Amino acid sequence: DGGITQSPKYLFRKEGQNVTLSCEQNLNHDAMYWYRQDPGQGLRLIYYSQIVNDFQKGDIAEGYSVSREKKESFPLTVTSAQKNPTAFYLCASSIEGAGGYTFGSGTRLTVV
Amino acid sequence: AQSVTQPDIHITVSEGASLELRCNYSYGATPYLFWYVQSPGQGLQLLLKYFSGDTLVQGIKGFEAEFKRSQSSFNLRKPSVHWSDAAEYFCAVAPSGGYNKLIFGAGTRLAVHP
């Protein structure tokens, strides 16, 4: 079955380290998205990409970086510049005009 | 700027009771509207969506939502709640056309009492 796979499910990071969250989809969707979820704040858009080798900043891109070298993959790097990285991270994908996203099951990142 | 407001942070209902979750949006034109559900530690699942046409939309798991243009609202309803409906519910809005970059409300957490 097609879907989005996020890995790992849980990730622990020491302060000052960069970490990369994986997101892979086999839905043949063009667009992919990264959201951050904090309690009581809903979902906030970090980065999105509508085509390979192109991506745009969302509302809270500072301290994060992405790449889109393949249609299927959209990894997110949480850099040491992100001051408060502990959160639940969700990846999603969509096709043009269809409306709505398909979400992965998320990665919970904790700084230790 | 586009925005979505879910006025109720927490709602508790008894099993078998009816449910209505409120959603108001701010947008210049008629947007695409969505409701998602999230179980703890999981991703979001699409319940239903509205693009155009009939303003009463049916979704999965017995949910429905009604678009009211005059009130800029898209409230989610279910006539009889089951214990398994306990979850967090998110309303979202996107401009029509294109890749529909979604803007989410803060969510409403639903608890169901037996």
Side-chain angles (χ1 to χ4, degrees):
Chain A
D1 287 339
I4 297 181
T5 301
Q6 290 188 242
S7 61
K9 189 170 180 63
Y10 299 96
L11 186 58
F12 297 89
R13 188 194 94 171
K14 294 182 179 179
E15 288 193 18
Q17 283 184 337
N18 293 353
V19 290
T20 298
L21 283 60
S22 170
C23 178
E24 303 277 336
Q25 55 101 357
N26 60 3
L27 300 166
N28 200 34
H29 286 177
D30 290 316
M32 298 187 74
Y33 312 81
W34 274 106
Y35 282 87
R36 170 179 171 142
Q37 186 177 22
D38 297 282
Q41 296 193 47
L43 280 72
R44 293 180 290 169
L45 182 64
I46 304 172
Y47 269 99
Y48 64 102
S49 167
Q50 295 178 347
I51 194 170
V52 174
N53 292 323
D54 187 45
F55 47 82
Q56 288 78 41
K57 293 182 179 180
D59 301 320
I60 56 165
E62 184 175 353
Y64 300 97
S65 65
V66 294
S67 62
R68 188 86 186 278
E69 298 177 0
K70 299 186 300 181
K71 187 175 185 177
E72 301 79 17
S73 179
F74 192 42
L76 173 73
T77 297
V78 184
T79 75
S80 57
Q82 170 51 238
K83 297 307 179 188
N84 185 22
T86 294
F88 190 55
Y89 291 87
L90 286 161
C91 180
S93 68
S94 72
I95 57 176
E96 185 175 7
Y101 297 169
T102 300
F103 279 89
S105 58
T107 293
R108 185 165 299 280
L109 173 64
T110 303
V111 173
V112 297
Chain B
Q2 303 159 34
S3 65
V4 178
T5 301
Q6 294 181 245
D8 305 304
I9 298 173
H10 295 281
I11 284 184
T12 301
V13 300
S14 298
E15 191 168 17
S18 63
L19 172 70
E20 183 169 28
L21 302 182
R22 296 182 291 165
C23 173
N24 293 97
Y25 67 89
S26 173
Y27 187 67
T30 299
Y32 291 173
L33 296 159
F34 308 84
W35 275 100
Y36 285 85
V37 61
Q38 183 183 34
S39 297
Q42 298 298 314
L44 277 68
Q45 181 184 22
L46 181 65
L47 285 175
L48 46 79
K49 58 187 177 184
Y50 173 79
F51 285 2
S52 64
D54 192 346
T55 57
L56 186 61
V57 180
Q58 302 298 319
I60 62 172
K61 304 185 180 188
F63 285 92
E64 66 179 25
E66 185 172 13
F67 169 60
K68 292 186 177 180
R69 185 191 307 273
S70 62
Q71 299 176 20
S72 297
S73 69
F74 189 56
N75 294 348
L76 182 71
R77 301 193 296 246
K78 188 170 185 177
S80 178
V81 171
H82 188 262
W83 63 266
S84 61
D85 293 324
E88 189 152 21
Y89 292 80
F90 292 93
C91 182
V93 61
S96 56
Y99 281 99
N100 313 133
K101 186 157 60 77
L102 296 186
I103 297 170
F104 288 85
T108 297
R109 184 167 296 280
L110 173 66
V112 180
H113 280 181

